[in-house]
Amino acid sequence: MIAAAATSRSRIERRMRHRRVAKVVVAIALAVIWVPVAIIMLAAGMADRRG
């Protein structure tokens, strides 16, 4: 019983870690996508203002 509880607890911890890692990966992916887009938008905006 005790051993089973320990194994299930470690599994739950692993799942939580995987979820945390997944969130970090998604955040990084969004940053990688949006940073260049934001730079392009700003560059276009500056070009429009100068023009």
Side-chain angles (χ1 to χ4, degrees):
M1 293 285 292
I2 294 161
T7 53
S8 66
R9 196 178 288 171
S10 66
R11 280 181 194 169
I12 290 161
E13 279 175 13
R14 277 184 199 166
R15 280 185 194 170
M16 291 301 286
R17 277 184 199 162
H18 279 297
R19 279 187 192 175
R20 221 177 273 169
V21 169
K23 280 181 187 176
V24 170
V25 168
V26 168
I28 290 164
L30 287 170
V32 167
I33 291 161
W34 281 109
V35 167
V37 169
I39 290 163
I40 291 161
M41 293 278 282
L42 283 168
M46 291 295 284
D48 287 344
R49 282 178 194 170
R50 282 180 191 169

